[in-house]
Amino acid sequence: MKFLLNNDLKKNQALITIIRFFLFFMLFYLVSSWMVERSQIGENIEEITQNLLGDPELFMDPLSLIQILEFLHLKLFAYMILIMMNGAILFQIHINKKWQLFLVITPFVLLLLDTFSLLGSSYISSIFIIVKMVLMSLLPLFMRLQSVFILFKLR
């Protein structure tokens, strides 16, 4: 990421082209990641409850701790790379410092809340399922809007 430490990003057309392609493919990744998570975890409260906690009537076992940790491990790894890249790009764009901080910190907070809500809904209370359902859509949506904002500012 050292290549992003450039004083004037708008003068480096090759880097802007790379960033545009990165953001374009990131949008595809975020959409596919959202679809995969909805298919693995569920789309509504009943499906999420069945998948996480199991359903004896349907002979569904609850997700094991290993399955949840594998899912979280992959998600955290992929999202951290995306968040770090977007953050580095955002700090090179000339916008208000408060907006920069908001756009950089918010995905970290949403990712942490999403992680804790999955663990909380599995092991603490089913109330966390509602939080998980909201954050499951909110995090990729925010990241997509962040990417579109960056693309717009690089014009």
Side-chain angles (χ1 to χ4, degrees):
M1 292 204 342
K2 187 177 180 181
F3 63 90
L4 287 174
L5 299 176
N6 188 358
N7 285 340
D8 198 358
L9 189 62
K10 289 195 175 192
K11 288 184 180 178
N12 192 342
Q13 286 297 10
L15 185 57
I16 286 179
T17 303
I18 291 170
I19 290 171
R20 284 183 179 145
F21 277 107
F22 166 76
L23 293 171
F24 181 70
F25 284 106
M26 188 178 87
L27 291 172
F28 281 122
Y29 171 77
L30 290 169
V31 169
S32 65
S33 173
W34 176 71
M35 291 168 52
V36 166
E37 186 170 3
R38 290 178 71 90
S39 68
Q40 287 180 339
I41 303 293
E43 293 187 14
N44 55 43
I45 294 174
E46 293 170 359
E47 287 180 11
I48 295 173
T49 304
Q50 284 178 344
N51 288 331
L52 291 179
L53 305 177
D55 189 352
E57 293 177 8
L58 298 174
F59 301 105
M60 287 179 65
D61 291 331
L63 287 178
S64 68
L65 179 61
I66 296 296
Q67 290 171 313
I68 292 172
L69 290 177
E70 284 176 351
F71 178 77
L72 286 176
H73 176 76
L74 291 173
K75 182 174 182 171
L76 287 171
F77 180 75
Y79 271 90
M80 286 308 298
I81 291 172
L82 297 178
I83 290 171
M84 291 297 291
M85 288 295 292
N86 272 1
I89 295 166
L90 280 167
F91 279 122
Q92 298 300 318
I93 296 174
H94 300 291
I95 59 173
N96 185 340
K97 292 292 180 193
K98 289 182 181 181
W99 270 107
Q100 276 182 340
L101 287 175
F102 173 76
L103 290 172
V104 170
I105 292 173
T106 303
F108 284 108
V109 172
L110 290 174
L111 186 60
L112 274 173
L113 291 174
D114 184 60
T115 302
F116 290 132
S117 67
L118 179 62
L119 293 171
S121 58
S122 297
Y123 296 104
I124 297 173
S125 171
S126 59
I127 286 289
F128 286 100
I129 291 175
I130 296 169
V131 176
K132 173 64 183 159
M133 196 171 75
V134 170
L135 290 171
M136 188 168 57
S137 297
L138 189 60
L139 178 61
L141 176 65
F142 186 85
M143 293 289 295
R144 286 186 298 247
L145 292 174
Q146 186 185 52
S147 299
V148 170
F149 175 78
I150 293 170
L151 283 170
F152 178 73
K153 289 303 260 183
L154 288 178
R155 293 178 78 197

